[in-house]
Amino acid sequence: MLGLTGTLTRNCASQLFTTFSAQAASNARRIHSTALNPCRPIITRSKVLSSVIHRTIQDSPNALRICKRCKSTFAIDASVRKVASGLAQTQPAFTVSANMITVLREPTDFYGLLLDMIRRAEQRIFISSLYIGSAESELIEAIQKSLSEKPSLRLHLQLDLNRSTRPGVSSTAKILLPLLQEFPDRVTVSMFRSPSLRGFLAKIVPPRFNEGWGTWHAKIYGVDDEVIISGANLNKSYFTNRQDRYIHFANQPSLAQYCFNFLQTISTFSYRLSTKPGAEPHSYQQENYFLDWPDPQTHPHEIHVKAQEALSAFQLSQRTIHGIQIPSSSNNLDSNDVLLFPIIQAGQFNIREEESALSLLFRNLHASEGRPAEQRRPLIDLTSGYFGLYVAYQNLVLANDVTTRIIAASPKANGFYGSKGISGRIPEGYTLLEQQFMTAVKRAGRLWKQGTGVQLTEWEKDGWTYHAKGIWVSPSPSSPPVLTLFGSTNLNSRSAHIDTELSFVMILQGDSSPVQKQLKDEIDGLRVHASGWKGGQRNVRLWTKVIVRLVKGML
């Protein structure tokens, strides 16, 4: 596998990506009818897509001069060593010093750090979120002030179109217009619109419900060479009393550039917010702003092939730039280094890296060597604020004998609790999904008993809601985590099939990384507010059962 022998500067990485991806896109287009034909077998498409990368390497001498063969060795715990080796064969990989990683635990800490990063930004601010809340004047003012004081600073936003353009005086689109008017050459606002909602349905589905057909869901908060990966959106509750996860990476030019290039890739099939009408045929006006479509050759409802091609070529190019090999044993790695693998899930575009990664994880968890027998059984902690575990993941949990503890949101901690209309039934709908899951657990003989099996608990904290998501893997119940999955995925059918997600798998060295303590404190802190699951005692109304049956894939 090709990889960089040292850390790229941002400009160097950007130049390489531009050179490489331009050639890759050209080559991909030449064979796209074969590689991306959904009627052809997956293995055939995979082989042909691989030819894109190899042909591009041959056609890109500049890229080859930058890339060199390298190997890195890691003292990875035996329980996840095969997982690391498998991910290294399919995903881009980054090595990060543990001293540059901070696991935040409180919404206020996340917000304070985000504002600080924006104020310190010198060259670029790049943010990806579902939307920006209507009351976030302090956040917008911080961005405006930094842009005013630093003429070379640029702002790049990637948001969801349906959520950001809801009618009203304080939609995300409207609160961003002053920035576009003041800094027209330095502010870019891209808005992804799921192509699944189209035709007659697109005309009749109310704005409040059009997100049901898919959203842009990745959460990236970056400036210059640092980045926060989270599941939180940019809204007051996420800064005060809505629990999520937030991991900060300081001084990481390669990782930051990956995230920035990922957003740039998404922008090629996203609308662009504008104060002036666009010339392209699919651009349109909404209220007092315009949404410009960047590609006259592709209809916004028919972006599936383009998106699949772009995301596949992006990951292939990034894997070439950031490649790593995991040997069977190791002694030479700095004990503070950790591995980071980005995972894209975009089911509607046939990009299913998260599914592959979790299958790899559950199939290859092993007992740790050199531990007493009673301490060798791995432990998985899993959580989702919207726990309707995707059936493929449910099957992985039930078919495995690994001890698994799950935290779901209690009905009161669900973000839709108390909502008016049909959305007020959503917490009840998740209770139904939990009941169905626990029935499957019982049928599989995996009910929690004497510290083993599958345990479901529910998180509740007075005045708070719950939005955390992810997985922690520990070699034994008494050991700190050596692996975590974090990012935007809720691990449910919606995340698997209709939303577009970016998550990361982080693998640490056994018993040595300072990040392990932070991750242990994180999961322990979440479990403080988790108590026994009471969903089996709750009544789910017949009409709610009917609704869940109709829209189950959207939950």
Side-chain angles (χ1 to χ4, degrees):
M1 171 130 354
L2 291 172
L4 296 183
T5 55
T7 301
L8 287 174
T9 65
R10 187 188 323 123
N11 290 338
C12 182
S14 180
Q15 179 184 4
L16 175 56
F17 176 77
T18 301
T19 300
F20 192 92
S21 59
Q23 185 64 52
S26 174
N27 290 333
R29 281 192 294 271
R30 275 186 266 164
I31 64 170
H32 126 234
S33 61
T34 302
L36 298 173
N37 184 344
C39 296
R40 294 184 65 87
I42 291 175
I43 189 169
T44 302
R45 299 201 308 272
S46 176
K47 287 180 179 178
V48 180
L49 278 172
S50 295
S51 72
V52 175
I53 200 82
H54 293 304
R55 184 181 299 177
T56 301
I57 291 171
Q58 295 171 356
D59 294 346
S60 303
N62 291 335
L64 278 176
R65 279 196 290 269
I66 299 174
C67 293
K68 296 182 179 179
R69 247 176 229 286
C70 69
K71 288 186 180 180
S72 294
T73 54
F74 293 83
I76 296 170
D77 191 273
S79 61
V80 294
R81 190 174 298 148
K82 286 190 176 181
V83 179
S85 297
L87 289 173
Q89 294 174 27
T90 62
Q91 304 303 128
F94 300 89
T95 58
V96 180
S97 170
N99 297 325
M100 298 290 105
I101 301 173
T102 303
V103 181
L104 306 175
R105 295 174 56 189
E106 297 293 332
T108 52
D109 294 337
F110 163 60
Y111 185 48
L113 178 57
L114 178 60
L115 289 177
D116 178 62
M117 289 168 59
I118 289 170
R119 290 162 182 156
R120 290 188 285 103
E122 294 292 338
Q123 298 298 323
R124 61 182 179 181
I125 301 170
F126 52 101
I127 288 175
S128 169
S129 191
L130 184 66
Y131 68 104
I132 299 176
S134 59
E136 300 318 310
S137 57
E138 183 181 26
L139 178 67
I140 300 297
E141 288 169 5
I143 293 173
Q144 190 277 338
K145 189 171 187 293
S146 287
L147 288 168
S148 296
E149 294 176 349
K150 302 163 187 175
S152 62
L153 181 62
R154 301 182 67 89
L155 171 66
H156 305 266
L157 296 174
Q158 179 70 50
L159 306 167
D160 181 73
L161 187 145
N162 286 332
R163 184 58 177 269
S164 298
T165 60
R166 287 181 177 178
V169 296
S170 55
S171 68
T172 298
K174 288 185 177 179
I175 66 175
L176 291 174
L177 286 179
L179 289 177
L180 280 167
Q181 292 164 345
E182 186 174 357
F183 310 102
D185 300 324
R186 294 195 285 135
V187 173
T188 301
V189 181
S190 295
M191 293 187 173
F192 172 87
R193 184 186 183 280
S194 171
S196 298
L197 182 61
R198 52 188 171 180
F200 179 67
L201 271 179
K203 298 177 181 178
I204 65 171
V205 173
R208 190 180 179 191
F209 298 101
N210 54 19
E211 296 172 44
W213 280 259
T215 66
W216 170 252
H217 204 240
K219 317 296 168 55
I220 302 168
Y221 304 107
V223 307
D224 297 335
D225 291 337
E226 62 181 304
V227 64
I228 299 173
I229 303 298
S230 181
N233 291 304
L234 299 177
N235 190 29
K236 183 179 180 180
S237 62
Y238 291 93
F239 304 151
T240 54
N241 61 349
R242 188 157 171 76
Q243 184 65 57
D244 215 304
R245 300 183 68 193
Y246 336 85
I247 302 185
H248 175 246
F249 299 88
N251 193 26
Q252 299 301 315
S254 295
L255 175 62
Q257 190 63 38
Y258 171 90
C259 293
F260 180 79
N261 288 339
F262 172 63
L263 300 184
Q264 294 292 91
T265 300
I266 299 298
S267 72
T268 63
F269 46 91
S270 297
Y271 284 91
R272 178 172 291 187
L273 182 65
S274 176
T275 58
K276 300 176 182 179
E280 301 302 340
H282 306 301
S283 302
Y284 66 96
Q285 181 176 0
Q286 183 160 319
E287 299 186 78
N288 64 333
Y289 55 85
F290 300 88
L291 292 160
D292 296 344
W293 181 248
D295 182 3
Q297 306 303 318
T298 306
H299 192 282
H301 294 167
E302 305 294 339
I303 63 172
H304 301 78
V305 169
K306 177 174 181 173
Q308 182 181 9
E309 175 184 305
L311 290 171
S312 297
F314 170 73
Q315 285 293 73
L316 284 167
S317 68
Q318 291 296 304
R319 193 162 75 242
T320 301
I321 298 170
H322 303 290
I324 199 165
Q325 295 178 2
I326 309 294
S328 58
S329 60
S330 58
N331 346 349
N332 301 326
L333 180 70
D334 186 323
S335 63
N336 278 335
D337 281 352
V338 304
L339 270 177
L340 201 61
F341 298 97
I343 307 292
I344 299 173
Q345 181 76 7
Q348 63 179 325
F349 305 134
N350 200 30
I351 304 294
R352 299 184 175 275
E353 296 178 354
E354 177 187 303
E355 293 177 54
S356 298
L358 290 186
S359 177
L360 178 73
L361 171 63
F362 279 91
R363 285 188 290 105
N364 289 282
L365 277 179
H366 291 287
S368 298
E369 301 167 357
R371 298 179 186 270
E374 66 274 11
Q375 298 181 14
R376 295 180 63 189
R377 183 187 294 272
L379 167 69
I380 290 180
D381 283 294
L382 183 153
T383 192
S384 174
Y386 297 109
F387 183 73
L389 198 61
Y390 175 38
V391 65
Y393 302 161
Q394 175 178 301
N395 292 338
L396 290 171
V397 169
L398 299 183
N400 200 302
D401 64 354
V402 173
T403 300
T404 305
R405 304 184 304 190
I406 299 171
I407 304 175
S410 76
K412 288 184 178 180
N414 187 294
F416 290 93
Y417 182 76
S419 294
K420 296 179 180 179
I422 193 173
S423 60
R425 290 181 180 257
I426 290 177
E428 191 175 312
Y430 279 104
T431 293
L432 176 62
L433 297 179
E434 292 164 10
Q435 291 174 350
Q436 294 171 349
F437 173 73
M438 290 307 294
T439 298
V441 170
K442 182 178 181 179
R443 190 182 303 120
R446 294 274 283 135
L447 286 173
W448 185 260
K449 184 178 180 181
Q450 297 180 343
T452 62
V454 176
Q455 179 193 57
L456 178 60
T457 58
E458 54 186 46
W459 189 97
E460 187 172 325
K461 184 178 178 181
D462 189 37
W464 285 56
T465 57
Y466 191 70
H467 200 248
K469 67 267 296 181
I471 293 174
W472 300 254
V473 176
S474 303
S476 74
S478 60
S479 305
V482 294
L483 178 151
T484 186
L485 169 75
F486 61 99
S488 65
T489 179
N490 282 306
L491 300 170
N492 53 21
S493 295
R494 182 184 179 89
S495 287
H497 294 307
I498 61 178
D499 286 345
T500 303
E501 312 277 10
L502 177 67
S503 300
F504 288 81
V505 174
M506 182 162 63
I507 298 179
L508 303 90
Q509 297 185 82
D511 296 331
S512 61
S513 171
V515 180
Q516 285 184 283
K517 182 180 185 307
Q518 295 186 63
L519 290 174
K520 185 177 187 306
D521 290 345
E522 180 187 38
I523 184 59
D524 288 349
L526 294 177
R527 290 184 59 80
V528 164
H529 301 285
S531 59
W533 178 68
K534 305 175 186 66
Q537 306 163 23
R538 297 186 179 108
N539 178 55
V540 178
R541 291 167 288 181
L542 177 60
W543 181 234
T544 300
K545 292 178 181 179
V546 172
I547 294 172
V548 170
R549 187 174 182 85
L550 292 173
V551 303
K552 186 174 181 179
M554 297 179 179
L555 294 176

